[in-house]
Amino acid sequence: MRVLILYFSGTGNTDYVAKYLQRKLAILSVDSDLGSIENILPEESTEFDLLIIGFPIYAGAPPVFFQQYLNLLPNVNQKGIFVFCTRAMFAGHAINDVYEQLGRKGYIPLDYKIIGMPGSDGLPFVSESSKYVQKALNKDYSDIKEINEFAERIAYVIGEINRGKTVAAMRRRAPRGIPLLNTIFQLLWDFGYKFAEKKIKTGFWADEKCVQCGLCVRQCPSKNISLINGSVTFNTRCYMCMRCINQCPEEAIQIGKGTVNKFRWKGPTGYFRPESKEFFEKKYPEDNRPRKAGRV
């Protein structure tokens, strides 16, 4: 059975979880391929028998652009999926949203996991000496119980399918919790997020430390950043993934004045290095075609 771990990561949390999960699966004799949605065409997913989908939570939901990518996945006939997400606080209906979206395409949900990680959207606004940052830096990421359990569940389900059980027989639904309470939380979260989004999206700028290296231009998943006549320009297609501000090697990118001389997050290991390519186009020029999935 060919397994693909397919994910998006803005600042490194989901990337770390995906790679950690791949290592744990290997220990359990489950071989898997690993790839970002930025580097794998949706139709390439048909090469695999089972998908493990991963994403960060934005405002209690899957990122809109991630949902757009899922919409481009081909329809299938009862192909199994596992789903995981990384979140700092509220996960909302995110798992259910992805279950329902992919269920309409013929995928069978087999299990899910919600993994708590540092809030990389808030870290650039606080100083490195703060308790919030120190907690993120000092957390032990080498042994994460939730992912260990998830890997064991995946290995078990694959084993059962290999022994003859149908994918449909292994279906597992996501719990909805208390619908009214979840809805209230979601409405409050949406209101706060939209307010912050308006402030943040219009607040990006590059200060005098910028050396025009162009890294932010190359790494931006929405192609929202341009380097024109030696000046960094931010347009209106921002996904608010916070990649540019955290990845800038000179820490020159700011959001208003609130991030000046504050902390930058590069994933749990401090070595997250994304290679972003433009995606969500209906046509992919051959000279800009994302590479196929491969082991990392």
Side-chain angles (χ1 to χ4, degrees):
M1 178 176 288
R2 292 198 67 196
V3 178
L4 172 64
I5 303 173
L6 181 63
Y7 68 97
F8 172 79
S9 186
T11 58
N13 287 339
T14 310
D15 176 84
Y16 180 84
V17 169
K19 291 175 180 175
Y20 182 111
L21 178 60
Q22 186 188 40
R23 293 194 299 271
K24 289 297 178 180
L25 287 173
I27 293 172
L28 296 169
S29 300
V30 175
D31 195 17
S32 62
D33 285 68
L34 180 73
S36 165
I37 66 171
E38 296 172 79
N39 298 317
I40 296 178
L41 294 171
E43 56 266 30
E44 290 179 324
S45 66
T46 60
E47 300 173 14
F48 298 87
D49 305 299
L50 185 145
L51 299 183
I52 304 172
I53 304 287
F55 59 93
I57 295 293
Y58 290 2
V64 172
F65 59 88
F66 183 79
Q67 295 179 61
Q68 291 171 344
Y69 180 91
L70 296 185
N71 281 336
L72 297 176
L73 291 176
N75 291 334
V76 296
N77 182 22
Q78 297 193 339
K79 179 180 287 189
I81 58 160
F82 288 88
V83 179
F84 70 90
C85 65
T86 56
R87 56 99 179 131
M89 296 181 69
F90 179 59
H93 299 296
I95 296 294
N96 295 90
D97 290 345
V98 172
Y99 266 23
E100 292 174 3
Q101 184 178 2
L102 292 180
R104 291 190 292 269
K105 287 183 166 288
Y107 290 88
I108 302 293
L110 300 176
D111 211 344
Y112 73 97
K113 186 63 68 173
I114 299 171
I115 300 117
M117 297 293 278
S120 53
D121 52 349
L123 287 169
F125 290 92
V126 292
S127 66
E128 185 169 349
S129 61
S130 70
K131 290 183 179 180
Y132 184 50
V133 170
Q134 289 303 308
K135 182 179 179 180
L137 291 174
N138 294 323
K139 182 177 178 178
D140 182 9
Y141 299 98
S142 64
D143 186 27
I144 303 178
K145 179 181 178 182
E146 295 93 335
I147 312 176
N148 298 341
E149 294 173 347
F150 194 42
E152 290 174 0
R153 171 65 182 172
I154 293 170
Y156 168 76
V157 170
I158 290 175
E160 290 296 293
I161 293 173
N162 286 336
R163 282 187 285 272
K165 279 197 174 182
T166 65
V167 173
M170 301 303 295
R171 180 194 296 268
R172 177 172 288 187
R173 300 186 183 278
R176 287 193 172 276
I178 304 173
L180 179 59
L181 188 60
N182 281 352
T183 299
I184 293 172
F185 270 121
Q186 189 67 60
L187 289 172
L188 291 173
W189 210 259
D190 288 345
F191 176 80
Y193 186 84
K194 287 178 180 177
F195 177 80
E197 183 180 43
K198 185 176 180 180
K199 293 283 187 181
I200 290 175
K201 280 189 174 182
T202 59
F204 284 94
W205 60 289
D207 64 24
E208 68 281 354
K209 295 192 296 294
C210 177
V211 295
Q212 295 88 48
C213 68
L215 183 65
C216 57
V217 177
R218 296 191 299 274
Q219 289 187 345
C220 178
S222 66
K223 299 302 177 187
N224 186 57
I225 307 173
S226 304
L227 186 59
I228 303 173
N229 297 326
S231 178
V232 175
T233 301
F234 297 87
N235 299 304
T236 59
R237 299 186 301 275
C238 180
Y239 293 158
M240 274 183 60
C241 72
M242 307 299 281
R243 182 182 286 174
C244 62
I245 188 170
N246 284 291
Q247 283 288 311
C248 177
E250 304 299 326
E251 298 187 4
I253 296 177
Q254 310 294 346
I255 302 174
K257 298 294 184 181
T259 59
V260 177
N261 298 322
K262 299 298 174 59
F263 181 69
R264 300 294 190 267
W265 177 255
K266 293 180 175 60
T269 64
Y271 294 105
F272 177 56
R273 297 293 185 272
E275 293 182 15
S276 179
K277 294 181 183 292
E278 192 165 2
F279 54 112
F280 304 141
E281 293 182 352
K282 292 182 180 179
K283 295 181 180 179
Y284 294 85
E286 286 298 321
D287 60 353
N288 192 34
R289 190 174 177 85
R291 62 177 179 269
K292 289 192 174 184
R295 288 176 178 79
V296 177

